[in-house]
Amino acid sequence: MPLGPPDRTTPPIFRQGPSALTKLLLCAAAAVFLMVADARFKVVEPARAGLALLLHPVQRLLLTPVDAWDNFGDYLRGTQRAMTAENLARQQLVQQAEKLSRASQLQDENQRLRALLGLRPALQVSSQAAEVLYEAPDPYSRRVVIDRGSANGVQLGAPVINDAGVLGQVTRLYTLSAEVTLLNDKDAAIPVLNTRTQQRNAAFGNADGSGMELRFLAANADVKEGDLLATSGLDGIYPPGLPVAKVTLVERRGDSSFARVDLQAVAQADSVRHVLVLQPLAQHEAAQAEAAAAAASEAAAHAQTKAAIKNVKAAAKAASAGGKP
């Protein structure tokens, strides 16, 4: 075999194709084309959806330990929160039971003291539930309309309250509805009692309907911010002891002999949906007096009837005894 020069050609595996720059430009152009096509024509969307569908089980499998750890942590935290809430509920239940026991004892003691002093029992007026329909369209007054009227037994001047305190008073009465003037109306007024000092006064609505105020209060009067004002019961309309307002501002000026006292009603009409309509105090007392008089008259008539029957029986017995030999 003749010897010749060695073969210096590059093996096929090491043969070079296009240059690196050409490959970079081709890949960049393909990438830009795919991005534009995907953004404009959603060309890659089916492929992406199919790939996501294929990889979903794998993802779920890989996330199983993480989900299990998170669920275990949530279980421990939930158990701890439940135990804390249970302990808090038990403490609140004990406190409520204690308060209820004290309230019951105070009520019994109050009744015994009233009986000992010869005072009348605490007044319990009749009431009925009503729903606020809408606010009156008059922009110069603060009134609401309720769905109870004269056909339901509502009376003119009846107090209206909610769970927070006094809301207002019935000032216009219709057959199936009634208008309630709120306490912060410019024409509203209510006699109040400072629960801290037992000082009586009258609360009026502000001219702009934004709140209430105490008028003609001496500059040296004992009143502080945060004092609670309740109904005094002296007007014959509102039962005594109902919360009315809290003192929000006390301003004493040297150039005036009166103090400026601003109030905030405890019953906010903007968030009220259901109310209670009470019977006016004077009418309730009159009804009670009438009922007591009727009961006394009935008792007297019953006693007279029993006495008459007893006299007839005695006369019959005497007549039968006189007729014997």
Side-chain angles (χ1 to χ4, degrees):
M1 180 176 182
L3 298 177
D7 187 8
R8 299 183 182 279
T9 60
T10 304
I13 191 173
F14 294 108
R15 290 178 181 175
Q16 296 180 356
S19 64
L21 180 59
T22 304
K23 293 179 181 180
L24 177 61
L25 293 176
L26 289 175
C27 292
V32 172
F33 172 76
L34 290 177
M35 287 189 296
V36 173
D38 183 49
R40 296 293 299 271
F41 306 105
K42 306 296 182 182
V43 175
V44 193
E45 189 69 26
R48 185 184 296 111
L51 184 61
L53 181 61
L54 292 176
L55 293 179
H56 182 73
V58 180
Q59 293 175 346
R60 297 303 305 168
L61 181 62
L62 295 177
L63 288 175
T64 299
V66 179
D67 293 339
W69 179 258
D70 292 340
N71 293 334
F72 181 71
D74 292 340
Y75 172 76
L76 293 180
R77 289 189 293 270
T79 303
Q80 186 65 29
R81 287 195 298 266
M83 294 176 62
T84 304
E86 182 181 3
N87 294 332
L88 181 61
R90 289 180 181 274
Q91 294 177 4
Q92 292 178 350
L93 183 61
V94 172
Q95 294 175 359
Q96 293 293 336
E98 183 181 1
K99 291 181 180 179
L100 182 61
S101 177
R102 290 181 180 178
S104 179
Q105 293 177 1
L106 289 176
Q107 184 177 4
D108 294 340
E109 183 179 358
N110 186 20
Q111 292 179 356
R112 289 194 298 268
L113 289 176
R114 283 182 174 274
L116 180 63
L117 297 176
L119 300 177
R120 65 181 182 180
L123 188 62
Q124 299 291 336
V125 299
S126 59
S127 62
Q128 60 175 311
E131 183 177 357
V132 177
L133 297 178
Y134 55 88
E135 187 174 354
D138 186 2
Y140 301 102
S141 64
R142 294 299 310 274
R143 298 180 181 181
V144 293
V145 178
I146 60 176
D147 64 344
R148 293 292 186 271
S150 59
N152 307 107
V154 176
Q155 300 175 3
L156 193 64
V160 179
I161 66 172
N162 68 344
D163 56 342
V166 179
L167 188 66
Q169 184 180 6
V170 175
T171 53
R172 287 185 181 179
L173 188 61
Y174 307 103
T175 304
L176 298 177
S177 62
E179 284 190 8
V180 179
T181 299
L182 304 179
L183 292 180
N184 54 356
D185 185 84
K186 58 183 178 62
D187 296 326
I190 180 174
V192 293
L193 177 73
N194 192 322
T195 57
R196 182 179 62 87
T197 63
Q198 301 300 308
Q199 182 181 6
R200 293 191 296 269
N201 208 300
F204 299 85
N206 287 339
D208 57 357
S210 60
M212 304 174 64
E213 61 180 352
L214 290 180
R215 300 176 184 174
F216 313 116
L217 189 66
N220 59 352
D222 185 10
V223 58
K224 299 179 181 179
E225 295 183 6
D227 284 353
L228 177 63
L229 305 181
T231 54
S232 62
L234 298 179
D235 56 348
I237 297 177
Y238 296 94
L242 297 177
V244 176
K246 285 187 177 181
V247 178
T248 57
L249 176 65
V250 178
E251 182 179 349
R252 295 180 172 91
R253 294 176 295 182
D255 58 346
S256 176
S257 58
F258 298 103
R260 174 189 174 186
V261 181
D262 292 341
L263 311 175
Q264 181 66 42
V266 295
Q268 299 297 324
D270 297 336
S271 59
V272 171
R273 185 62 178 174
H274 299 89
V275 297
L276 281 180
V277 182
L278 307 181
Q279 187 179 19
L281 182 59
Q283 297 181 7
H284 178 77
E285 292 179 343
Q288 279 191 332
E290 184 179 354
S297 177
E298 183 179 357
H302 185 65
Q304 291 179 357
T305 304
K306 289 181 64 176
I309 294 175
K310 185 177 181 180
N311 293 334
V312 169
K313 288 183 178 180
K317 185 176 182 181
S320 61
K324 289 183 179 180

